[in-house]
Amino acid sequence: MARRVLQISPATWAGGIALALVLALSFGSLAAVALRAEGDTGLGPADWAAIRFTLVQALLSAAISVALAVPVGRALARRRFAGRQVLITLLGAPFILPVIVAVLGLIAVFGRGGILSQALGLMGFEPISIYGFHGVVLAHVFFNLPLATRLILQGWLDIPSERFRLAASLGFGTRDVARVLERPMLRQVLPGAFLVIFLLCLTSFAVALTLGGGPRATTVELAIYQSFRFDFDLGRAALLALVQFALGAAAALVALRVALPTGIGAGLDRPMTRWDAASGWLRVQDAALIALATLFLVVPLAMIAINGAAALPSLPASVGWAALRSLAVALGSAALTLLLALSIAALVVRRGSKLAEAIGTLTIAASPLVIGTGLFVILFPLIRPERVALEVTVLVNAAMSLPFALRALVPALTAVEADFGRLADELGLTGTSRLRRLWLPRLRRPLGFSAGLAAALSMGDLGVIAVFASPDGGTLPLQIYRLMAAYRMGDAAGAALLLLALSLALFWVFDRGGRLDADA
């Protein structure tokens, strides 16, 4: 075993360097803001209001998302229909959907000039407004309801079909099945799903930037941004960054301590038949729930396509340049993510280091804006921050995508080493030879998925670039926000459609490339 460790010194060094970079970004940026926050400056009333708003909106958004996901997940679990698998796949789309695009779609549906307000106007009612607390919560539910549904649906699918067959033979009705089978599963699944969504809502920036604002609808991250861009109060921004990191770290620790679902027994993987849900009323109820959830997901995206298609031919040149910058950032972030993830995964698998894997996921506790705050504090005395805006954005986006890439690569590389590691050792495959001949051919699927996810997430990010970019620079999401701020909603819709198309294309190209002719 000692000889095997010595043979992989290049992987060990690469993994060590990658971990050092993650630690520097996580704790180095935190140390920088901590030093900058020293002094007599404390949290004012507006800061405490931002903290309260952040916690309340995250709690409410997570609670509503999970509460609505339970009946939708149950309906999907007990019904089979044409297009069901496509719909379940679409439930994962909001995770890679650029936030600014979804916000524009929600405005087109729920804004004062949206289709819902127009329908209310025809009935003699006043139009509704999407801005403020309720708009932030609505947007977070739009993003996280599909995620919660996927998590809860998996819990239902993990219940062996034999349990439902036994329940039917015992004459159990719908309430009995819910009490004996479904509620125990939900008690295992719901806490984890709630905490994951709470953490995502806690670190959401673009939603609060576009739909929040004002004293009553400001999150901690939005307060950090305002301290930079409007007040240039680095001390206050640094103090708020510490608060944001503490909130995220606390939520992440609680989420990690919540046990994953253990299931309620093994089965024979037979198709599930739900005799307890055969009544016509339950069929209608489930169909209505699935239809409403689908409309809630699809209609805002359809409005983006409809409004954006008309504006595409007349988009200003600034949108094209911003799109090119976004593509460069996305490709750079994807490449750096793969380099870091593969280096850390090699260290985790070959050395059996769980600590290395834990360090690799540290960035999930920090938001991009917090890390960006630390980098801004470090770089500001040395160089004009806008000159390195794209490079910093690439670095931070790669760090934020790293936990998801590790989640895909570590199990896959573990399986490869378990199947072929001993043979590779006997053949003397080490270093780059092992990488080229063993790992890369058999890791194309997770590598392609990780690259596509990192590129799509980076393409739609509106965080660090909002702090570092110059007034005439920036990526496509920032350009869309500027068009919205200038009330050029047609151009914003066209740019949003372009951003959506580029994000989905990047994910598809990388993911498809990883699956094409890949070894199993």
Side-chain angles (χ1 to χ4, degrees):
M1 180 63 68
R3 183 172 61 86
R4 288 186 64 183
V5 171
L6 292 175
Q7 290 175 343
I8 55 148
S9 57
T12 303
W13 278 106
I17 293 172
L19 290 177
L21 179 60
V22 173
L23 287 171
L25 284 174
S26 301
F27 293 111
S29 60
L30 186 64
V33 297
L35 292 174
R36 190 61 180 84
E38 288 182 352
D40 297 331
T41 302
L43 297 175
D47 300 325
W48 285 111
I51 294 173
R52 286 193 297 271
F53 180 85
T54 301
L55 293 173
V56 171
Q57 64 83 20
L59 286 169
L60 189 59
S61 298
I64 294 176
S65 298
V66 170
L68 294 179
V70 170
V72 176
R74 179 174 54 197
L76 286 171
R78 62 190 185 186
R79 300 300 170 197
R80 298 293 184 270
F81 53 89
R84 176 179 179 272
Q85 192 58 46
V86 174
L87 177 59
I88 293 175
T89 302
L90 284 176
L91 290 175
F95 189 71
I96 62 172
L97 182 69
V99 175
I100 195 72
V101 173
V103 168
L104 268 174
L106 291 172
I107 291 174
V109 176
F110 299 101
R112 293 187 66 85
I115 56 176
L116 182 58
S117 289
Q118 293 177 14
L120 291 174
L122 293 176
M123 294 184 290
F125 296 100
E126 292 292 323
I128 60 176
S129 174
I130 195 175
Y131 297 97
F133 175 81
H134 58 283
V136 172
V137 172
L138 175 66
H140 283 157
V141 171
F142 174 81
F143 279 106
N144 295 301
L145 174 59
L147 174 61
T149 301
R150 285 290 296 268
L151 294 174
I152 295 172
L153 174 62
Q154 188 58 52
W156 252 291
L157 298 180
D158 286 341
I159 301 176
S161 60
E162 288 78 12
R163 298 299 178 92
F164 291 103
R165 184 184 299 272
L166 177 61
S169 67
L170 294 175
F172 280 16
T174 303
R175 293 183 179 180
D176 298 317
V177 170
R179 175 173 52 84
V180 175
L181 295 178
E182 295 178 335
R183 289 176 190 170
M185 177 274 296
L186 290 174
R187 282 195 292 269
Q188 294 183 27
V189 173
L190 291 186
F194 176 88
L195 287 168
V196 167
I197 295 172
F198 174 78
L199 181 60
L200 293 174
C201 296
L202 196 70
T203 57
S204 173
F205 169 68
V207 169
L209 179 65
T210 52
L211 298 179
R216 297 182 179 179
T218 298
T219 61
V220 175
E221 291 210 342
L222 186 54
I224 295 171
Y225 172 74
Q226 291 169 344
S227 298
F228 268 125
R229 303 301 292 183
F230 301 114
D231 304 328
F232 202 68
D233 187 348
L234 294 182
R236 178 171 177 262
L239 184 60
L240 289 170
L242 289 175
V243 172
Q244 178 65 26
F245 186 89
L247 293 175
L253 287 175
V254 174
L256 290 174
R257 290 185 64 86
V258 172
L260 294 175
T262 57
I264 58 172
L268 300 177
D269 296 328
R270 294 174 177 173
M272 183 181 297
T273 302
R274 295 293 301 271
W275 294 275
D276 60 297
S279 71
W281 162 245
L282 289 179
R283 291 180 183 274
V284 172
Q285 173 185 298
D286 289 347
L289 288 169
I290 294 171
L292 289 174
T294 303
L295 287 174
F296 182 60
L297 176 64
V298 171
V299 171
L301 300 182
M303 293 301 298
I304 285 293
I306 293 171
N307 296 336
L312 274 178
S314 59
L315 288 177
S318 59
V319 172
W321 288 110
L324 290 177
R325 287 190 287 268
S326 287
L327 282 173
V329 168
L331 294 175
S333 177
L336 184 57
T337 298
L338 291 187
L339 180 62
L340 295 174
L342 193 55
S343 300
I344 296 174
L347 185 61
V348 171
V349 174
R350 297 284 285 166
R351 297 291 297 271
S353 175
K354 293 296 183 181
L355 178 61
E357 186 175 4
I359 294 175
T361 59
L362 268 177
T363 54
I364 202 170
S367 71
L369 204 62
V370 172
I371 296 178
T373 301
L375 294 176
F376 189 97
V377 170
I378 294 170
L379 294 173
F380 181 70
L382 307 174
I383 190 174
R384 293 179 59 184
E386 60 267 21
R387 295 181 59 182
V388 292
L390 297 184
E391 291 83 355
V392 170
T393 303
V394 167
L395 179 62
V396 176
N397 284 342
M400 302 310 296
S401 301
L402 182 59
F404 305 106
L406 286 175
R407 186 71 181 268
L409 283 176
V410 169
L413 186 56
T414 300
V416 169
E417 282 295 311
D419 293 339
F420 303 100
R422 186 178 298 276
L423 177 61
D425 288 339
E426 295 297 329
L427 295 175
L429 286 180
T430 60
T432 57
S433 296
R434 196 184 194 97
L435 175 68
R436 288 186 298 105
R437 297 181 181 276
L438 177 62
W439 290 356
L440 292 183
R442 287 166 177 80
L443 293 178
R444 283 184 59 181
R445 290 176 185 267
L447 285 173
F449 173 79
S450 300
L453 185 61
L457 293 177
S458 181
M459 193 76 193
D461 179 64
L462 179 59
V464 177
I465 195 65
V467 174
F468 277 80
S470 61
D472 56 347
T475 55
L476 190 51
L478 183 58
Q479 186 63 29
I480 295 172
Y481 172 71
R482 289 168 176 166
L483 291 171
M484 293 172 62
Y487 297 102
R488 298 169 59 181
M489 301 305 291
D491 288 340
L497 182 59
L498 177 61
L499 176 59
L500 177 61
L502 290 174
S503 299
L504 295 179
L506 281 174
F507 179 79
W508 183 85
V509 167
F510 280 113
D511 187 43
R512 175 67 176 172
R515 289 184 285 114
L516 191 63
D517 298 327
D519 292 334

